[in-house]
Amino acid sequence: MQDEILKFDLVEKEEVCGPVIKVMGVGGCGCNIIHDMVEAGIAGAELVSVNTDLKSLNSRMAHEKIQIGKKLTKGLGSGSKPEVGEKAAEEDREALEQQLEGTDLLFIAAGLGGGTGSGAGPVIADIARSMNILTVAVVITPFKREMEKSQKKIIVDEALKKLTEKVNNVIVISNDKVIENCENMRCSEAYREANKVLISFVNGLIGMVAKIGVQNIDFEDINTTLRERGKTFIGIGRAGGTDRAQKALASALNNPFIGEVKLAGAKHVLINFIGDIITKELSIVDELRKLTGDKASIKYGVVEDLSLGDEIEIVILVSGITEAIEIEVVNNAIDRFQKMELLAKQLVERDYENVDIPTFERYPN
């Protein structure tokens, strides 16, 4: 009887294991992104809003909300001063640490150029780094015309530098891309389109880990890929009909909000196929390898989702791009320098061997 009770207790205490994923929106723009994610019904992650402006924080939806800098700002915001946003986050550092406890993957969503996102974002990134949390920053930067000869450019550059130093990867969308792709939309709709792009990236990565498939990409695959130094690319494409896999791949590689991306020299590639996938459609992995080169480590997952009907979705995560290209460029430069050095040495040695012969006779033409 005692053994049966002990066995029953063990079953009761058994916990469901799996990666804990959180998205933390910081500042007004970040909280808007979280609000849109809640509206979109994003599953598989806890959505947390962080702000100094209590009125703005209360007006947006989120799973959890954290007001920072209560004593410093009294809930009135940071006044577009990043130093205030930074101090506000430090004031409530313990609350932020408690919120991040046990997190495996963190996305920090923010708009740069203001006070809270630019100031508190790097502090949260520093906390995550101290807790060894895999962290990706997804940020939106202001229009170039806003930053010309202004303090805002300094704020953006410094915030981006601090984030880059503390997170594993940064995904950036410029508001200039909003104008290029949404010039005839209302401002509110255009900004929401930019938010949708960031949300799709985050949701795509969450889906790689959270959705169980016929063939899975696990959290350690994501961990290895995102911790790779260098530039990272995330692409999502959906298509149906004839050659839908090729069309979905082309769509994933050509996001108008990101611009042209060269994948040559990449080190890690993860591809997730979602939908009613036919085996031959997996051959587009070979097409992707042509773009990355033979040295890339490529792994794919397949998730069956009949709700997509005739369409399929492809999510691509590529990392280590810049570093590989830079190494290749440096090696080529060294090779050219060594060849030039050898040629110069040969010319000098030849001149010394024939030092008694006049120059015009050594080089007649």
Side-chain angles (χ1 to χ4, degrees), residues 66-116:
I66 301 175
Q67 181 192 356
I68 56 173
K70 303 178 195 69
K71 296 178 183 178
L72 179 67
T73 71
K74 296 179 172 51
L76 301 177
S78 60
S80 297
K81 297 176 182 177
E83 62 272 20
V84 174
E86 180 180 353
K87 289 177 182 177
E90 290 292 356
E91 180 184 310
D92 288 289
R93 189 180 184 96
E94 186 176 339
L96 293 168
E97 287 175 347
Q98 289 176 357
Q99 177 59 234
L100 294 177
E101 190 69 40
T103 302
D104 297 298
L105 173 59
L106 172 68
F107 295 94
I108 299 174
L112 302 185
T116 305

Side-chain angles (χ1 to χ4, degrees), residues 112-229:
L112 302 185
T116 305
S118 301
V123 175
I124 293 170
D126 184 62
I127 294 170
R129 184 180 183 182
S130 70
M131 300 172 77
N132 197 33
I133 298 170
L134 179 63
T135 307
V136 179
V138 285
V139 299
I140 296 179
T141 57
F143 298 106
K144 284 184 180 179
R145 64 170 178 263
E146 288 183 82
M147 296 191 289
E148 287 178 359
K149 299 178 182 179
S150 74
Q151 181 68 18
K152 185 166 281 192
K153 186 179 188 309
I154 297 174
I155 292 173
V156 171
D157 290 345
E158 288 184 355
L160 200 53
K161 182 176 181 293
K162 288 178 181 178
L163 281 171
T164 303
E165 289 171 350
K166 297 181 185 300
V167 303
N168 299 104
N169 269 288
V170 181
I171 301 169
V172 182
I173 290 182
S174 168
N175 272 340
D176 288 309
K177 292 294 182 182
V178 176
I179 290 183
E180 289 177 21
N181 296 283
C182 311
E183 61 181 358
N184 294 319
M185 288 185 182
R186 291 176 178 169
C187 287
S188 58
E189 294 175 352
Y191 287 134
R192 182 160 286 192
E193 285 300 310
N195 288 354
K196 282 181 182 178
V197 174
L198 289 183
I199 291 169
S200 69
F201 289 160
V202 173
N203 194 39
L205 290 181
I206 292 172
M208 274 190 177
V209 178
K211 293 181 179 178
I212 305 301
V214 179
Q215 183 165 327
N216 294 312
I217 293 173
D218 59 38
F219 178 74
E220 281 308 309
D221 295 321
I222 300 280
N223 192 19
T224 300
T225 303
L226 287 177
R227 288 188 187 275
E228 181 65 58
R229 293 178 60 192

Side-chain angles (χ1 to χ4, degrees), residues 214-215 244-246 273 276-286 300 302 312:
V214 179
Q215 183 165 327
R244 60 182 187 170
Q246 285 77 9
F273 294 84
D276 188 10
I277 308 299
I278 300 171
T279 306
K280 68 176 183 180
E281 291 175 325
L282 302 179
S283 64
I284 66 163
V285 172
D286 298 328
Y300 66 87
V302 179
I312 64 169

